[in-house]
Amino acid sequence: MKAAVIVFPGTNCDRETYYVLNELVGFDTYFLWYEEKDLSPYSLVVLPGGFTYGDYLRAGAIARFSPVMMELRSYVDRERGYVLGICNGFQILSEAGFLEGAFTINITRRFIARSVSLEIENPDTPFTLRFTKGQVIQLPIAHREGRVYLDEETLLRLRERDLVLLRYHGENPNGSIDRVAGIMDEKGRVFGLMPHPERNAEPLLGSGEGIGFFLSIRDALRS
Amino acid sequence: MKFLAQVLVLLKPDLLDPQGKAVEKAIQGLGLKSASGTRVGKVIRFFLDGESKEKASKDVERISKTLLANPVVEDTEIEIRELGEQ
């Protein structure tokens, strides 16, 4: 099973993400430069974290118009595989319309870089099947524009359809509406989360719980 | 025809603007106690060519709503000015 880690100008979490996918989870992993147009070999496409285009205008605002993102549109429409967006990757997916919501500056106005508690809201998805409902995990966040905004109607729809997969637990570090930390699309093929699962994917770096998301996708692809 | 476009991007009014709040406190601290509704946004200014002001406006509006601002959270105010010949 092949996985692609997209690299945009300003991406900086590609190496760790590649490491987790290739060394820990067992995907045959490739780096894909943002100008690439062939996504056909991949069962999983990952948009890693970073500061693509310096977060100029808005995080992800410019990366969304990349050639690879144009390709991603047909990849998703034709349900060719799964798409995972981590932090800036999530922001790019939202800007490009693959996921609902928009991002704005953290309510604290500061860049927040620390471990937070998260609750798994819906374990019945290809991205979370390794977890249990209500399970609380620790993952680091590292962002300044991580505050998720959803209008009332969209939030209601996401809640009704169980598309909010992950919420901040016990606190709301960045002021995201309804403590939303990760959401999935209607078809269950695209998942975006602000925390960094790749930064806590093995015991060396903490609980190692972050690997659960990657293992879930692998299991979903195998079945 | 040559035009100058200026696009003002601000967070939508019902959204909390923490930058605006911080700046407002500072403004009040400098003596202007009545300052309210403070928001911090961005201005993008660029020249462009167009057959007509109407066409140029349409182009700028399209660019504004897809790239310059995210319509989910931001509003835009667009100003287009025609410059002299050539």
Side-chain angles (χ1 to χ4, degrees):
Chain A
M1 279 183 313
K2 293 192 160 80
V5 175
I6 313 293
V7 183
F8 298 90
T11 294
N12 66 11
C13 300
D14 41 324
R15 297 281 175 108
E16 302 95 293
T17 310
Y18 175 97
Y19 168 78
V20 171
L21 289 165
N22 206 57
E23 307 301 319
L24 302 182
V25 181
F27 278 98
D28 185 17
T29 316
Y30 297 83
F31 290 111
L32 214 63
W33 187 231
Y34 77 115
E35 285 173 328
E36 286 292 331
K37 288 193 182 172
D38 186 14
L39 290 172
S40 55
Y42 311 104
S43 317
L44 169 64
V45 177
V46 183
L47 279 69
F51 296 90
T52 57
Y53 296 93
D55 280 359
Y56 294 153
L57 278 182
R58 295 176 309 282
I62 299 173
R64 68 165 279 204
F65 291 112
S66 305
V68 75
M69 291 304 292
M70 303 296 128
E71 266 318 288
L72 198 66
R73 183 76 266 165
S74 64
Y75 181 92
V76 169
D77 287 346
R78 288 192 229 154
E79 301 192 24
R80 307 235 37 188
Y82 293 110
V83 181
L84 172 68
I86 302 169
C87 200
N88 191 218
F90 182 8
Q91 292 163 332
I92 297 170
L93 289 170
S94 288
E95 282 284 332
F98 289 94
L99 289 171
E100 297 285 7
F103 292 88
T104 185
I105 197 172
N106 295 341
I107 214 156
T108 55
R109 301 181 336 259
R110 292 184 179 89
F111 189 95
I112 304 171
R114 60 180 171 84
S115 215
V116 295
S117 295
L118 299 143
E119 184 172 340
I120 304 289
E121 301 282 344
N122 180 1
D124 300 320
T125 81
F127 304 99
T128 51
L129 56 90
R130 279 267 182 155
F131 299 104
T132 56
K133 180 153 174 71
Q135 185 177 350
V136 176
I137 61 173
Q138 306 295 121
L139 289 181
I141 58 171
H143 56 244
R144 190 168 163 270
E145 282 175 61
R147 184 173 140 220
V148 174
Y149 174 77
L150 298 154
D151 63 44
E152 234 181 280
E153 186 229 308
T154 309
L155 179 60
L156 209 65
R157 180 163 40 87
L158 293 184
R159 291 178 73 158
E160 280 170 2
R161 301 192 191 171
D162 289 320
L163 296 177
V164 178
L165 306 192
L166 202 64
R167 275 200 174 83
Y168 296 107
H169 175 81
E171 59 158 329
N172 189 344
N174 54 30
S176 288
I177 196 160
D178 209 26
R179 286 177 291 114
V180 171
I183 61 177
M184 188 173 70
D185 72 332
E186 299 266 341
K187 286 190 181 166
R189 291 256 160 191
V190 183
F191 174 47
L193 73 166
M194 279 315 286
H196 287 265
E198 80 286 9
R199 292 187 187 181
N200 183 14
E202 52 183 348
L204 181 71
L205 294 176
S207 59
E209 296 165 305
I211 204 168
F213 297 99
F214 302 98
L215 293 176
S216 297
I217 299 169
R218 188 195 64 184
D219 290 356
L221 283 166
R222 278 182 180 169
S223 65
Chain B
M1 298 162 84
K2 230 178 154 64
F3 298 93
L4 175 62
Q6 191 151 289
V7 182
L8 174 66
V9 179
L10 287 171
L11 271 184
K12 282 186 168 333
D14 39 290
L15 254 102
L16 172 67
D17 181 356
Q19 281 183 113
K21 259 196 154 177
V23 170
E24 188 167 289
K25 273 197 160 168
I27 295 173
Q28 288 166 347
L30 287 173
L32 224 65
K33 303 283 179 207
S34 65
S36 70
T38 311
R39 309 199 67 94
V40 176
K42 48 180 103 115
V43 173
I44 299 106
R45 184 194 292 175
F46 57 103
F47 296 100
L48 72 157
D49 293 336
E51 311 160 346
S52 66
K53 192 169 186 185
E54 202 184 64
K55 175 74 172 48
S57 296
K58 282 212 173 105
D59 285 338
V60 174
E61 184 149 354
R62 177 175 56 88
I63 304 286
S64 297
K65 299 227 154 94
T66 54
L67 175 68
L68 304 181
N70 185 327
V72 176
V73 283
E74 291 169 326
D75 285 333
T76 55
E77 278 169 36
I78 302 170
E79 222 180 77
I80 310 227
R81 241 197 309 140
E82 193 196 327
L83 305 174
E85 297 302 294
Q86 295 297 23

